Amino acid sequence: MCKTITILGGGPAGASAALAAMELGCGVMLIEKSKFPRHKVCGEFFSPEIEPDLARIGAWQAFLSAAPARIRRMKLNFGAAEKTASLAEPAWGLSRSAFDALLLQRAIAAGAKISRETTSVPQIIASGRKVAATARGGRLFGFKAHFEGPPDDAVELYFFGSAYVGINAVENGFTNVCGLAPEELLRTFDFDFDRVLLESPALAERVKPLTRRFDWLSTGPLEFKQHLSDTTAYRAGDALSFVDPFTGSGLVAAVKTGSLAGAAAARSDPVPDYLAQCRQSLRKPFEVAGVFRKALKSRFAETLAPLIPSRILFALTRPR
Ligand SMILES: Cc1cc2nc3c(=O)[nH]c(=O)nc-3n(C[C@H](O)[C@H](O)[C@H](O)COP(=O)(O)OP(=O)(O)OC[C@H]3O[C@@H](n4cnc5c(N)ncnc54)[C@H](O)[C@@H]3O)c2cc1C
């Protein structure tokens, strides 16, 4: 066995790092403060690229066994304009309570030790995104709930103002509704997310036949940020780079960078070499999402996005 690697955070990035490090013969100590399974604010959309990344760490069959929903179409609504397209390859919908628990279970089964408290300085930081220090007023918050009702095979994104709400099926016939909105809009509705959904007439119509299964969860303030020059530890997942969630690429990036970090730590690769690999993989979705968010803020997206073919928009936001 090479050595024991300490990983801070047992979410998708941390559990993937653990599996990759143990594959190379290392022991792993995972520090995770939460008890799994637990819900998490997330659109729970997995782009097709998740398959090779999960297969690499031996978790693809477990993912399929959780019976994720298949997502075959993409629908973008900009108020006046709507675009629908088939996905070139089907995507997946699986709750984070199921996904995070199955990955962590695999890591434990492979020999990872779990602790609630930090016992030594972590070599891998996979503790998720930092809470933004943005001043009140310009802050963004995320929210999510599961609904019952007729499922659909599309991932739907409703853009209104600089807010958006994503809808897609997850396992067991449930539907995830997850949004991101600026503080000013949410304050107008006293953070009553049911009322926020009514702000877009098309979205209000879409959720009419659905019944919410649990109280809304919310998170924030959110900040889209990269820490690609921190060479003090191997950062992975959102702790390395948090990209605008409309891209639906955060989970693929978490599994990918987590696996890279686990392998790099096991081999004692220099952190800058590891970061160079990540930079290549993450640059495209981060840059495209940045441009799109600026367009959204200026309301220019309503004019621009309908002109870009949906397949191209989808491809542009995938990590490599
Ligand atoms: C509104 C919203 C919607 C999203 N929708 C999608 C989507 O549809 N598809 C997609 O691919 N991505 C989506 N994302 C992004 C996705 O949720 C993240 O990219 C993903 O969670 C990153 O995984 P991670 O393991 O890096 O971090 P996390 O999932 O945040 O896991 C970090 C873990 O570290 C633990 N932890 C943190 N600090 C400590 C500590 N000090 N001690 C011990 N444990 C600690 C936490 O308990 C947690 O379990 C969305 C994000 C948001 C905010």
Side-chain angles (χ1 to χ4, degrees):
M1 185 176 287
C2 62
K3 58 191 164 187
T4 295
I5 292 170
T6 303
I7 303 172
L8 184 66
S16 302
L19 285 164
M22 286 187 288
E23 180 66 30
L24 293 179
C26 289
V28 162
M29 171 58 77
L30 261 173
I31 318 294
E32 173 52 58
K33 63 181 179 188
S34 307
K35 206 165 176 281
F36 286 24
R38 48 94 177 99
H39 282 292
K40 183 141 182 123
V41 176
C42 182
E44 303 180 331
F45 169 85
F46 291 77
S47 64
E49 296 82 4
I50 198 72
E51 177 175 349
D53 286 319
L54 285 180
R56 216 165 287 132
I57 52 171
W60 178 240
Q61 285 310 320
F63 180 81
L64 290 181
S65 302
R70 298 228 78 179
I71 298 172
R72 300 177 194 280
R73 296 179 305 125
M74 170 185 185
K75 200 191 272 182
L76 301 178
N77 180 287
F78 296 91
E82 189 163 281
K83 295 172 78 80
T84 309
S86 305
L87 297 180
E89 257 183 277
W92 308 89
L94 184 66
S95 69
R96 291 294 300 276
S97 60
F99 180 66
D100 292 18
L102 79 81
L103 267 194
L104 190 64
Q105 271 314 317
R106 284 200 76 79
I108 294 169
K113 303 271 178 290
I114 298 280
S115 165
R116 286 265 173 101
E117 279 147 41
T118 315
T119 44
S120 55
V121 179
Q123 286 96 343
I124 298 178
I125 299 184
S127 47
R129 64 185 164 75
K130 277 194 181 161
V131 173
T134 323
R136 291 184 80 158
R139 304 187 299 182
L140 290 169
F141 289 85
F143 49 96
K144 159 239 171 120
H146 282 177
F147 287 70
E148 281 177 65
D152 198 299
D153 68 347
V155 55
E156 303 166 62
L157 278 169
Y158 294 81
F159 295 90
F160 49 103
S162 43
Y164 61 84
V165 167
I167 302 185
N168 56 255
V170 291
E171 74 276 18
N172 298 326
F174 296 122
T175 298
N176 177 310
V177 177
C178 177
L180 188 142
E183 187 170 12
E184 310 89 82
L185 175 75
L186 295 174
R187 280 200 189 287
T188 318
F189 297 103
D190 294 327
F191 281 76
D192 178 343
F193 301 114
D194 291 315
R195 285 170 57 210
V196 174
L197 302 187
L198 306 181
E199 182 69 359
S200 153
L203 176 59
E205 197 53 33
R206 171 66 181 91
V207 295
K208 221 186 233 173
L210 303 180
T211 309
R212 189 155 48 75
R213 289 185 65 221
F214 53 71
D215 285 346
W216 286 101
L217 304 172
S218 64
T219 187
L222 307 172
E223 188 175 24
F224 311 120
K225 211 167 177 176
Q226 299 201 300
H227 301 271
L228 289 162
S229 51
D230 178 2
T231 54
T232 55
Y234 303 93
R235 288 181 164 270
D238 283 1
L240 174 69
S241 170
F242 178 53
V243 67
D244 198 322
F246 87 83
T247 59
S249 62
L251 289 162
V252 169
V255 173
K256 202 181 274 293
T257 58
S259 310
L260 288 172
R267 293 188 302 255
S268 302
D269 289 350
V271 177
D273 292 0
Y274 158 71
L275 290 174
Q277 280 181 292
C278 295
R279 207 171 277 124
Q280 245 199 343
S281 153
L282 301 172
R283 205 188 64 234
K284 192 176 59 161
F286 200 85
E287 285 174 359
V288 173
V291 170
F292 196 74
R293 174 139 291 276
K294 278 197 190 113
L296 210 58
K297 253 186 159 170
S298 65
R299 311 279 164 111
F300 191 48
E302 283 184 34
T303 320
L304 184 67
L307 305 176
I308 305 174
S310 307
R311 279 165 196 258
I312 294 184
L313 197 61
F314 189 70
L316 280 175
T317 52
R318 321 267 42 99
R320 284 200 287 161

